[in-house]
């Protein structure tokens, strides 16, 4: 897919003279400047945590409380891996080179302009994300002969900021140093009950309302270049409940569950290359609401003394439930391309997850501590992740709904239903009644089904005049994979 020889050829023939290397007047270097390179993008994480739990019983109430604190830092930077035959690479933002006659504008580090990058050098960007979180929680459990109840409360305070180590030429005053710190206070309440119809039949109900801080990766407009936050930045809201019926018999077990989870005020941030602007665009959606609801059924029964059958079924509806607002920022300038653009995403399916799953298995356990099993897995109602900007009035305004492009832009592709077949086996050995050796082997996708599209997306890069110009991208199931494990117990 890649013609490496042409990369080496282009780099080795690109003689170039750099003036004022590292910003030093008169410092000149001539050599082969690489047009094509290999880079390593690093994320180094340091995390410190402290947890403390206290529990006690007060008559019939079992009480548990705890606190936890976490200090998290992620260091993001790039390192030159290979110049592919060239002598050096310039630490430039090529997309920004034509924005200004000022030579510092397109420098990734304006404090050392015209820096020569060689193998092992840091370049491009260099910054930390700092996140601190402190949380306290408490839970009380109360048991009666027929009923178990619990309720839980939590509260947390978290803060996040960005610390840049280089002054980007496009944002010299907003890229280096500490950003403004965003603070979030969040809380949650959970509760549930188990009603015992008798010793073998139970009804379980759970509910929760939780707020949580957004992921730090979704709150900065462009963390690789500047400290600017997306506006607005809000905590997410999670509302969830489920109700289950459970049966437990000596040769049969079953569980039937209905679940419903709504997650509101989510933020969506993706970056892609925009042909018209000839640069990377940061596309942001705020106030994204989703719903996940469905039923799940699991059963297990003994067909004979040594044969166990299992079956599972899941049927769900995982959709977007509102019309969020979108904004887009150019990566090579502070220009806001558009804001408050309505995205007609309501009732589109959430991509890359099957809405329907089913499976069945059989396991045989031998007399001398060995077993073998096989499982069938079926996946249906899978959709690719939609491109939100294709679902806007600005994209389809030139068409009427009878144009073929109308449906090409708005329809969401459904992937074909498919299946996999898995197997596993194992054996245990006892040694002197004190030690054990366990051998387990598992094989996935026995039929080597590599045509199984298990995910996909619509490219954010698209042409509304030619919807098929940038086709959908897919991921495929791996072929046969296997794992063997040996453990020793004592």
């Amino acid at each position: 897919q890649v013609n490496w020889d042409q990369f080496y050829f282009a780099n080795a023939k690109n003689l170039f003279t750099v003036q004022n290397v590292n910003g030093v007047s008169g410092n000149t270097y001539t050599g082969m400047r690489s047009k094509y390179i290999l880079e390593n993008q690093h994320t180094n994480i340091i995390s410190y945590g402290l947890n403390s739990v206290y529990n006690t019983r007060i008559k019939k109430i079992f009480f548990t409380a705890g606190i936890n604190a976490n200090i998290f830092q992620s260091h993001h930077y790039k390192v030159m891996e290979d110049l592919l035959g060239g002598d050096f690479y310039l630490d430039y933002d090529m997309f920004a080179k034509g924005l200004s006659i000022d030579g510092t504008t397109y420098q990734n580090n304006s404090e050392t302009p015209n820096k020569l990058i060689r193998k092992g050098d840091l370049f491009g960007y260099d910054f930390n994300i700092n996140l601190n979180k402190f949380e306290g929680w408490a839970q009380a459990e109360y048991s009666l002969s027929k009923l178990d109840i619990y309720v839980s409360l939590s509260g947390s305070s978290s803060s996040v900021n960005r610390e840049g180590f280089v002054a980007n030429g496009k944002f010299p005053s907003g890229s280096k140093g500490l950003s403004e710190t965003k603070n979030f206070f969040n809380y949650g309440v959970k509760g549930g009950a188990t009603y015992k119809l008798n010793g073998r039949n139970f009804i379980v109900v759970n509910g929760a309302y939780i707020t949580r801080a957004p992921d730090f990766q979704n709150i900065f407009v462009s963390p690789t270049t500047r400290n600017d936050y997306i506006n607005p930045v809000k905590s997410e809201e999670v509302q969830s409940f489920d109700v289950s019926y459970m049966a437990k018999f000596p040769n049969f077990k079953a569980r039937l569950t209905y679940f419903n989870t709504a997650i509101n005020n989510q933020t969506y941030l993706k970056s892609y290359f925009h042909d018209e602007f000839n640069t990377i665009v940061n596309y942001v959606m705020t106030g994204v609401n989703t719903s996940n609801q469905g039923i799940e059924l699991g059963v297990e029964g003994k067909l004979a003394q040594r044969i166990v059958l299992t079956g599972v079924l899941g049927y769900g509806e995982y959709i977007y439930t509102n019309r969020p607002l979108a904004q887009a920022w150019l990566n090579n300038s502070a220009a806001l391309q558009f804001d408050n653009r309505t995205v007609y995403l309501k009732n589109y399916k959430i991509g890359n997850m099957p809405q329907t799953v089913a499976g069945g298995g059989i396991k045989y356990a031998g007399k001398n501590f060995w077993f073998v099993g096989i499982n069938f897995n079926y996946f249906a109602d899978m959709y690719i992740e939609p491109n939100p900007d294709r679902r806007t009035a600005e994209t389809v305004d030139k068409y009427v709904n009878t144009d073929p492009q109308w449906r090409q832009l708005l329809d969401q592709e459904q992937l074909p239903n498919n299946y996999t077949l898995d197997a596993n086996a194992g054996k245990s050995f006892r040694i002197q009644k004190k030690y054990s050796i366990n051998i387990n082997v598992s094989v996935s996708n026995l039929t080597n089904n590599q045509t199984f599209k298990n995910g996909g997306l619509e490219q954010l890069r698209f042409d509304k005049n030619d919807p098929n110009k940038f086709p959908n991208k897919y991921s495929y199931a791996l072929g046969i994979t296997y794992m063997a494990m040996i453990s020793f117990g004592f």
Side-chain angles (χ1 to χ4, degrees):
Q1 293 180 330
V2 175
N3 190 333
W4 296 98
D5 289 341
Q6 288 299 317
F7 290 161
Y8 278 89
F9 179 81
N11 290 343
K13 298 297 182 181
N14 189 32
L15 187 65
F16 192 86
T17 297
V18 183
Q19 306 289 339
N20 304 325
V21 176
N22 294 332
V24 179
S25 180
N27 187 8
T28 302
Y29 180 85
T30 300
M32 301 303 173
R33 176 184 173 186
S34 290
K35 297 180 178 180
Y36 308 99
I37 62 167
L38 289 179
E39 66 182 32
N40 283 337
Q41 298 181 358
H42 289 255
T43 301
N44 297 345
I45 293 175
I46 298 176
S47 181
Y48 301 94
L50 173 67
N51 294 278
S52 180
V53 177
Y54 169 79
N55 54 66
T56 186
R57 182 175 292 278
I58 305 173
K59 295 183 179 180
K60 291 186 177 182
I61 299 176
F62 184 71
F63 179 79
T64 308
I67 58 172
N68 59 71
N70 186 260
I71 299 174
F72 174 91
Q73 182 184 86
S74 58
H75 184 195
H76 304 258
Y77 59 97
K78 292 199 300 185
V79 173
M80 178 62 66
E81 173 66 17
D82 198 322
L83 291 164
L84 301 180
D87 297 324
F88 67 95
Y89 182 76
L90 281 174
D91 198 8
Y92 285 176
D93 180 351
M94 298 303 175
F95 297 124
K97 199 171 188 303
L99 292 178
S100 171
I101 59 175
D102 181 2
T104 62
T105 301
Y106 52 82
Q107 303 286 342
N108 286 326
N109 186 354
S110 60
E111 295 179 341
T112 55
N114 303 324
K115 183 179 180 180
L116 307 182
I117 305 300
R118 295 185 171 87
K119 183 175 181 178
D121 289 347
L122 274 67
F123 73 106
Y125 58 80
D126 186 6
F127 65 94
N128 280 348
I129 297 293
N130 304 304
L131 175 62
N132 300 324
K133 182 178 180 180
F134 304 91
E135 182 179 32
W137 58 272
Q139 178 169 298
E141 303 170 45
Y142 184 72
S143 296
L144 297 170
S145 59
K146 285 280 190 176
L147 187 66
D148 294 337
I149 303 172
Y150 79 92
V151 63
S152 176
L153 301 173
S154 66
S156 67
S157 175
S158 58
S159 63
V160 63
N161 60 37
R162 177 189 183 275
E163 182 179 11
F165 301 118
V166 294
N168 190 286
K170 301 180 292 295
F171 314 98
S173 61
S175 53
K176 188 175 182 180
L178 282 172
S179 71
E180 173 194 357
T181 297
K182 289 288 185 181
N183 297 300
F184 303 91
F185 175 76
N186 293 288
Y187 60 93
V189 56
K190 296 188 294 183
T194 300
Y195 181 71
K196 309 164 192 175
L197 298 171
N198 52 47
R200 300 194 180 279
N201 297 273
F202 310 86
I203 295 177
V204 180
V205 179
N206 296 287
Y209 178 83
I210 301 169
T211 66
R212 62 190 185 193
D215 192 300
F216 71 84
Q217 296 176 338
N218 290 330
I219 66 174
F220 292 98
V221 170
S222 176
T224 59
T225 60
R226 57 193 188 272
N227 291 332
D228 296 340
Y229 286 96
I230 292 169
N231 186 30
V233 178
K234 294 183 178 180
S235 291
E236 299 176 354
E237 299 177 1
V238 181
Q239 304 169 44
S240 180
F241 75 91
D242 62 78
V243 57
S244 300
Y245 165 74
M246 294 189 298
K248 297 181 180 180
F249 294 89
N251 295 319
F252 178 78
K253 299 176 183 177
R255 181 179 183 127
L256 176 64
T257 300
Y258 169 76
F259 62 91
N260 188 312
T261 299
I263 307 176
N264 299 329
N265 289 330
Q266 300 174 78
T267 301
Y268 169 108
L269 171 60
K270 299 291 183 181
S271 299
Y272 68 100
F273 180 81
H274 197 292
D275 293 81
E276 181 181 349
F277 306 123
N278 194 35
T279 187
I280 301 297
V281 168
N282 301 301
Y283 188 92
V284 180
M285 278 197 305
T286 58
V288 181
N289 298 344
T290 59
S291 171
N292 301 269
Q293 66 172 327
I295 57 172
E296 295 176 342
L297 173 65
V299 296
E300 177 184 301
K302 283 189 177 181
L303 186 64
Q305 182 179 2
R306 298 188 177 278
I307 300 176
V308 177
L309 300 178
T310 58
V312 296
L313 172 66
Y315 177 76
E317 182 185 60
Y318 314 124
I319 60 173
Y320 294 96
T321 58
N322 72 326
R323 296 173 175 176
L325 297 177
Q327 54 189 267
W329 300 79
L330 302 185
N331 205 43
N332 60 6
S333 76
L336 176 64
Q337 183 56 33
F338 59 78
D339 194 12
N340 292 323
R341 176 177 290 185
T342 301
V343 181
Y344 293 83
L345 206 55
K346 186 176 182 179
N347 292 326
Y348 276 91
K349 307 289 187 179
I350 298 174
N352 298 319
M353 61 173 65
Q355 312 265 325
T356 302
V357 295
I362 183 171
K363 178 180 177 181
Y364 179 82
K367 289 184 178 181
N368 297 317
F369 305 105
W370 66 272
F371 72 89
V372 62
I374 191 166
N375 295 281
F376 173 81
N377 312 292
Y378 179 74
F379 308 91
D381 301 323
M382 294 179 290
Y383 296 82
I384 66 172
E385 184 64 24
N387 172 356
D389 205 41
R390 285 171 55 165
R391 280 80 189 179
T392 61
E394 289 79 3
T395 294
V396 299
D397 58 3
K398 65 177 291 183
Y399 300 110
V400 296
N401 58 13
T402 56
D403 290 335
Q405 292 91 342
W406 177 279
R407 294 262 58 94
Q408 291 172 5
L409 285 166
L410 298 181
D411 286 348
Q412 185 178 13
E413 181 184 355
Q414 181 176 354
L415 299 175
N417 302 341
N418 223 310
Y419 71 93
T420 60
L421 198 62
D422 306 328
N424 56 84
K427 180 166 175 54
S428 298
F429 300 90
R430 297 288 293 175
I431 303 174
Q432 297 179 355
K433 297 183 178 181
K434 294 191 297 184
Y435 310 103
S436 64
I437 296 177
N438 300 302
I439 301 174
N440 292 278
V441 178
S442 62
V443 183
S444 300
N445 198 358
L446 277 171
T447 60
N448 198 30
N449 183 2
Q450 299 184 45
T451 62
F452 178 10
K453 293 180 180 178
N454 58 10
L457 56 86
E458 296 173 353
Q459 294 193 60
L460 292 174
R461 184 185 186 190
F462 78 101
D463 185 345
K464 66 180 181 180
N465 299 312
D466 182 7
N468 296 319
K469 184 175 181 179
F470 299 103
N472 299 335
K473 292 192 173 185
Y474 307 99
S475 60
Y476 292 83
L478 297 174
I480 296 177
T481 59
Y482 58 89
M483 180 183 70
M485 181 174 66
I486 300 176
S487 61
F488 177 73
F490 55 92

